[in-house]
Amino acid sequence: MKQLFVLDPIKFINPSKDSSAALMEAAHRASLEVWVCTPADLQANGDNAGVIASKVNPDPWISIELAQNIALNQFHCIWMRKDPPVDEAFLYATHLLEVAEREGVLVLNKPSSLRAWNEKLGALRFSQLMAPTLVASRVDELKKFAMEHGEVVLKPLGGKGGQGVVRVANNSPGIPALLELVTAQETLPVMMQKFLPKVTEGDKRILLVNGEPLGAINRKPKAGDFRSNLALGGQAEATELSASEIKICEQLAPFLQRDGLFFVGIDVIGGMLSEINVTSPTGIREVENLMKIPLGDLVIKKLLENFS
């Protein structure tokens, strides 16, 4: 049984931290063939999808065989694990993967859902679970929201890893200029949310597999910052799910299952949903190290149980 991982170039992957590496190693332990490619390696000849891919042995990390031109229908499962941004190249890759879907190949996460579930905007489907949130381009509307809520957080819709996220008080003298900047002079929408002080206690990353929460970590901001993203120096710690967090997962599960979002990472602050990460969710290594849960193996086991 073959699995293909569509990734950023393999040389940039740090196996001690990367969730894709954890999944590849788990697939190898399950006696599955592991292949890798980048989005640029995908192709379609008419309605026949193909790829220039290399078979790899990820344990020990990593031996790579010569690339081959191979039909995508030769793979049982294709993992789309290219990191954001969700740019033109990413979107075209999802369309090429849909050619493989038409040939009966399982693609995770489902390409059409990767396009439909923007990692910021997707959470709006569950706005009752979120802090007060506005998505807008107009400076006056954003200013009005900030004045109403006192202290807010601005998030670019295409951002990742906490990059570009700004905390703003409603009495900051430079708010209009800042809003003009982040909206590119009112041409791009941004997300503005009421600031949740509980973020100082941590931002919980919960990993759901086919809608079921199988692992979580709490990420605490480094001193002097409110952003808890590990890529920005946040510290991961062991955690357990609260009753309200379990309820959030239960409410999301049927929608994730319906839309083919098999492996998802949600972020929860103070019992409130913040984001739904669907492109290349991270956190497997931290769960494995801190919680002593073999999460990579559990993901592959769930995959084989549900789709074999």
Side-chain angles (χ1 to χ4, degrees):
M1 189 178 293
K2 295 181 180 179
Q3 298 209 352
L4 174 67
F5 288 79
V6 184
L7 307 159
D8 290 294
I10 197 77
K11 65 182 179 181
F12 297 129
I13 289 180
N14 180 347
S16 67
K17 297 181 179 294
D18 195 275
S19 291
S20 294
L23 291 170
M24 292 163 66
E25 290 174 353
H28 178 73
R29 287 192 291 271
S31 300
L32 307 177
E33 283 189 26
V34 178
W35 294 64
V36 298
C37 73
T38 69
D41 295 316
L42 298 169
Q43 55 193 17
N45 187 346
D47 202 34
N48 298 309
V51 66
I52 300 168
S54 299
K55 185 180 178 182
V56 301
N57 182 343
D59 188 17
W61 191 265
I62 188 171
S63 62
I64 306 171
E65 297 185 7
L66 289 175
Q68 302 178 39
N69 196 324
I70 185 171
L72 285 182
N73 63 14
Q74 297 300 303
F75 295 98
H76 168 260
C77 174
I78 300 174
W79 291 88
M80 178 51 165
R81 293 279 306 169
K82 169 70 176 68
D83 283 344
V86 179
D87 54 12
E88 278 189 284
F90 187 103
L91 294 173
Y92 292 147
T94 66
H95 287 291
L96 289 169
L97 290 172
E98 282 182 314
V99 181
E101 274 193 322
R102 291 196 291 270
E103 296 185 80
V105 180
L106 174 67
V107 182
L108 302 174
N109 287 321
K110 188 173 180 64
S112 60
S113 294
L114 290 176
R115 295 193 298 270
W117 286 67
N118 173 277
E119 299 194 335
K120 306 292 190 301
L121 297 176
L124 295 178
R125 302 162 191 250
F126 310 96
S127 60
Q128 75 279 9
L129 305 176
M130 301 172 67
T133 300
L134 173 69
V135 177
S137 304
R138 297 302 181 199
V139 167
D140 284 347
E141 295 300 314
L142 292 163
K143 271 178 57 182
K144 192 184 307 179
F145 184 90
M147 293 301 293
E148 178 184 353
H149 293 287
E151 195 166 12
V152 295
V153 173
L154 278 168
K155 298 180 178 180
L157 297 181
K160 66 169 186 173
Q163 295 173 354
V165 177
V166 182
R167 176 179 170 184
V168 184
N170 64 1
N171 58 358
S172 298
I175 282 186
L178 174 63
L179 294 176
E180 290 167 5
L181 178 66
V182 298
T183 62
Q185 300 298 321
E186 298 189 325
T187 61
L188 285 177
V190 296
M191 176 175 280
M192 181 179 278
Q193 290 182 311
K194 180 179 179 180
F195 176 69
L196 298 176
K198 280 187 173 291
V199 73
T200 59
E201 299 173 14
D203 174 351
K204 199 167 290 189
R205 165 58 58 89
I206 306 171
L207 293 170
L208 294 92
V209 182
N210 203 30
E212 180 183 353
L214 292 187
I217 53 168
N218 193 47
R219 303 171 298 179
K220 299 195 75 169
K222 68 179 181 181
D225 203 343
F226 72 97
R227 298 170 299 175
S228 56
N229 307 78
L230 300 182
L232 297 176
Q235 294 297 311
E237 60 184 19
T239 191
E240 300 292 338
L241 296 187
S242 67
S244 64
E245 290 160 350
I246 292 171
K247 187 175 180 181
I248 289 173
C249 294
E250 290 173 347
Q251 292 185 61
L252 267 58
F255 298 93
L256 301 178
Q257 293 165 344
R258 180 198 67 190
D259 288 359
L261 294 169
F262 178 74
F263 184 58
V264 169
I266 68 171
D267 297 335
V268 178
I269 301 171
M272 306 192 91
L273 179 65
S274 174
E275 293 184 16
I276 302 174
N277 299 276
V278 302
T279 50
S280 57
T282 61
I284 291 180
R285 289 300 197 202
E286 289 78 13
V287 170
E288 290 179 335
N289 293 334
L290 292 169
M291 304 298 294
K292 309 306 178 187
I293 297 172
L295 186 54
D297 297 294
L298 292 177
V299 174
I300 297 300
K301 181 182 177 183
K302 286 284 185 185
L303 171 65
L304 297 177
E305 288 174 353
N306 284 277
F307 298 108
S308 293

